[in-house]
Amino acid sequence: MLEIKFLRENPDVVKAGLRKRNYNDDALKIVDQTIAIDTDRRQSQTALDKLLAESNQSAKLIGNLYREGKRDEADKLKLEVASAKSKIKELEAHLNETEVALENALLSIPNLPHDLVPFGKGEDDNEVFQKWNQPLPDLGDKALAHWDLAKKYNIIDFGLGAKISGSGFALFRGKGAKLERALINFFLDEADKAGYEEIIPPLLVNEASARGTGQIPDKEGQMYYAEKDDLYLIPTAEVPVTNIYRDVILDNEDFSIKMTGYTPCFRREAGAHGSEVRGLNRVHQFDKVEIVRIEHPTKSYQVLDEMLDHVRGLLEKLELPYRILRLCGGDTGFTSALTYDFEVYSAAQKRWLEVSSVSNFETYQANRLKLRYRDADGKRHLAHTLNGSALALARIVAALLENNQTEDGILIPKALVPFTRFEKID
RNA sequence: GGAGGAAUGGCAGAGCUGGUUUAAUGCACCGGUCUUGAAAACCGACGUGCCUUUACGGGCACCGGGGGUUCGAAUCCCUCUUCCUCCGCCA
């Protein structure tokens, strides 16, 4: 969430940012409402502190009187103090209310978009930041979509996934399972080479963690929830991995922090339907390797570029046609300041599929996480957090199968063969 | 799942028969004196959040989380969480 101090001192900057997210005048009222709540909160705090200070003095005095044996005077003072207590209780309750209200107001305000973020309502307004310059692969009319290829070679079984769990669950078998495992290992090895520490985190997280990275309250409905134990199934490794640094104060020399993790990701995807969700295009469970960075604010945008290069490198090694989008204000995620999406071209469906999203959250997540660092001057500041998919498996598999199909079978990209230990699926 | 014990500042560790504790002490870290330099020794500073102040400063809260008793709670009570020991179950 945004820092209240910043919002208080720069309401116009905040409003301009929210306008880029298509807030109208009515919706913008939240800014002034939040400031009003904060004013109330601060006044209550001041009043309460004053009363508590007086009450502390009295308590000390009573203690001294008892010690000196002046019982009568002490009892008299006790009665006086008792009357102040109800007022303290009242103020405490009010302060608490304003604090909760302020928290809720701040949670409802999204991150401010970076200057580079284009104006726009939705995905059609995203800016193509890097085009695919070569001709797109043309497989002709006989090309099979990946769900047909999956059946033909018996490598992915959506029917069994549905039988065992429900629609939107895939079962990988044989070379399909091996391909999946090979991709995970390939992505992890590449991240390792780039200096990321490998993490295997818990796949179920508590509410504090879900809140820390912003899944709650924004995307609460997208997560599977184990009610009996009050745990959420992770929608991305970002959640457990970033939360390693919840409530932490770093030293300046602790930067850069580079972590990677492979996890399955669980998403309810309620409401999604139609051809968009066919096959591996959108599933409830998919594998993903995530890269996470925690950085000094002065370096975070340089690091964002570095992360883009990393993802580019992966797609080029896999020989997949891709393009990069810079998301517009309407499409940028709630917690992000600047997001780039990578899409690969799936040649049989003739569609671009999103396979990675790389974002800089600046201090927005860090403020929820209370993730700070001590600067050279000894003062504490919020750190910047970034993350990106490197990469999301399911759609990569879809594109690989479709693009590499031949009459003799599906060819495995050279870079991947050491991991699959077979050259084609036939 | 059952029984018992524990949770204090970066770490260790007192306090836990409620009131000179504004949390002792040691270590670590930082600044200084001494030294050619370093070590040792000595001196000093040394938590987090919020409110207030132009500033210097002042105030409040925090001893795992939440609630309660009391004029006053690290200390007493309730509750939750986590860790340790033992028993049971288990890949």
Side-chain angles (χ1 to χ4, degrees):
Chain A
M1 55 191 177
L2 299 178
E3 290 174 273
I4 181 58
K5 190 158 179 282
F6 180 83
L7 192 141
R8 190 195 303 153
E9 290 167 3
N10 308 280
D12 293 335
V13 176
V14 173
K15 285 177 188 171
L18 294 181
R19 268 199 197 93
K20 212 174 203 178
R21 286 187 182 266
N22 308 303
Y23 273 49
N24 59 27
D25 288 346
D26 200 43
L28 280 178
K29 283 180 186 160
I30 182 69
V31 176
D32 293 325
Q33 284 165 1
T34 305
I35 290 172
I37 294 168
D38 180 53
T39 305
D40 187 6
R41 176 192 129 255
R42 285 154 63 210
Q43 285 169 353
S44 306
Q45 176 91 62
T46 306
L48 177 63
D49 283 356
K50 197 168 158 244
L51 279 182
L52 285 173
E54 287 167 9
S55 141
N56 285 343
Q57 287 299 318
S58 303
K60 212 166 271 179
L61 205 58
I62 291 169
N64 286 335
L65 290 173
Y66 272 124
R67 221 170 300 114
E68 292 164 19
K70 297 175 182 169
R71 194 160 273 272
D72 292 346
E73 278 183 58
D75 288 342
K76 207 172 129 195
L77 192 53
K78 260 203 222 179
L79 288 176
E80 286 175 32
V81 173
S83 69
K85 272 197 79 180
S86 64
K87 205 164 192 181
I88 288 176
K89 274 245 157 79
E90 219 172 276
L91 261 173
E92 258 172 359
H94 183 69
L95 178 64
N96 204 286
E97 270 171 42
T98 59
E99 279 171 350
V100 170
L102 181 64
E103 169 96 358
N104 287 336
L106 286 173
L107 284 175
S108 75
I109 299 174
N111 201 357
L112 303 179
H114 189 274
D115 281 347
L116 287 171
V117 171
F119 283 89
K121 296 279 181 207
E123 51 184 276
D124 296 337
D125 302 316
N126 293 333
E127 178 188 322
V128 180
F129 171 70
Q130 185 181 332
K131 277 190 177 166
W132 181 251
N133 284 324
Q134 303 159 44
L136 290 170
D138 183 2
L139 305 175
D141 293 337
K142 283 187 189 162
L144 297 176
H146 69 272
W147 48 85
D148 292 325
L149 293 164
K151 196 171 275 180
K152 180 175 174 186
Y153 296 108
N154 194 25
I155 49 176
I156 308 171
D157 196 321
F158 294 99
L160 279 179
K163 175 186 177 182
I164 297 166
S165 301
S167 82
F169 289 91
L171 182 141
F172 294 77
R173 67 192 315 171
K175 284 188 172 176
K178 286 185 200 298
L179 174 61
E180 187 82 1
R181 180 156 59 88
L183 281 164
I184 293 166
N185 283 333
F186 170 65
F187 293 146
L188 282 175
D189 278 8
E190 290 294 311
D192 182 56
K193 278 190 219 159
Y196 289 86
E197 182 196 5
E198 187 171 338
I199 307 282
I200 299 181
L203 306 183
L204 286 91
V205 297
N206 57 28
E207 185 188 324
S209 294
R211 201 169 276 279
T213 35
Q215 276 67 32
I216 293 177
D218 180 45
K219 296 177 177 168
E220 207 160 357
Q222 288 192 31
M223 284 187 292
Y224 288 96
Y225 175 55
E227 193 173 1
K228 214 164 185 177
D229 297 293
D230 198 18
L231 292 169
Y232 296 85
L233 274 73
I234 59 167
T236 159
E238 164 195 345
V239 179
V241 172
T242 311
N243 270 281
I244 293 172
Y245 286 92
R246 172 153 49 84
D247 292 321
V248 166
I249 301 178
L250 298 163
D251 286 321
N252 228 344
E253 56 266 28
D254 292 331
F255 297 118
S256 296
I257 292 172
K258 308 170 72 172
M259 298 174 290
T260 185
Y262 150 69
T263 68
C265 301
F266 305 95
R267 299 188 184 180
R268 295 184 58 234
E269 303 288 4
H273 55 79
S275 69
E276 300 246 321
V277 308
R278 195 146 178 217
L280 291 174
N281 289 352
R282 181 166 300 191
V283 280
H284 291 308
Q285 177 188 326
F286 61 95
D287 293 312
K288 178 159 66 66
V289 172
E290 185 80 359
I291 51 177
V292 173
R293 305 282 297 250
I294 293 166
E295 296 291 341
H296 192 283
T298 54
K299 268 193 67 187
S300 68
Y301 279 96
Q302 182 191 325
V303 163
L304 184 65
D305 288 340
E306 204 182 290
M307 292 167 78
L308 292 183
D309 284 341
H310 181 75
V311 177
R312 264 193 206 101
L314 297 178
L315 290 170
E316 279 164 16
K317 282 176 186 164
L318 292 178
E319 303 165 47
L320 287 168
Y322 69 93
R323 63 179 188 180
I324 306 176
L325 303 178
R326 179 143 62 199
L327 298 194
C328 73
D331 210 26
T332 298
F334 193 83
T335 55
S336 174
L338 179 60
T339 296
Y340 293 93
D341 273 5
F342 282 74
E343 296 185 330
V344 297
Y345 190 70
S346 214
Q349 296 185 71
K350 297 190 170 67
R351 287 182 51 186
W352 292 95
L353 298 177
E354 183 193 333
V355 293
S356 178
S357 194
V358 184
S359 303
N360 187 350
F361 303 93
E362 299 190 2
T363 59
Y364 194 88
Q365 281 185 333
N367 193 28
R368 289 193 187 188
L369 291 162
K370 296 197 172 52
L371 163 51
R372 290 153 294 168
Y373 68 96
R374 216 181 299 275
D375 218 335
D377 59 3
K379 293 209 171 120
R380 287 160 303 282
H381 308 276
L382 293 171
H384 280 195
T385 61
L386 306 93
N387 66 53
S389 347
L391 285 158
L393 273 273
R395 293 176 187 158
I396 288 286
V397 169
L400 274 183
L401 297 181
E402 293 186 14
N403 293 9
N404 295 358
Q405 58 185 297
T406 67
E407 286 186 5
D408 295 335
I410 298 165
L411 304 179
I412 302 296
K414 276 196 196 71
L416 210 53
V417 172
F419 294 88
T420 54
R421 284 173 294 173
F422 53 81
E423 289 175 14
K424 67 180 173 187
I425 297 172
D426 51 12

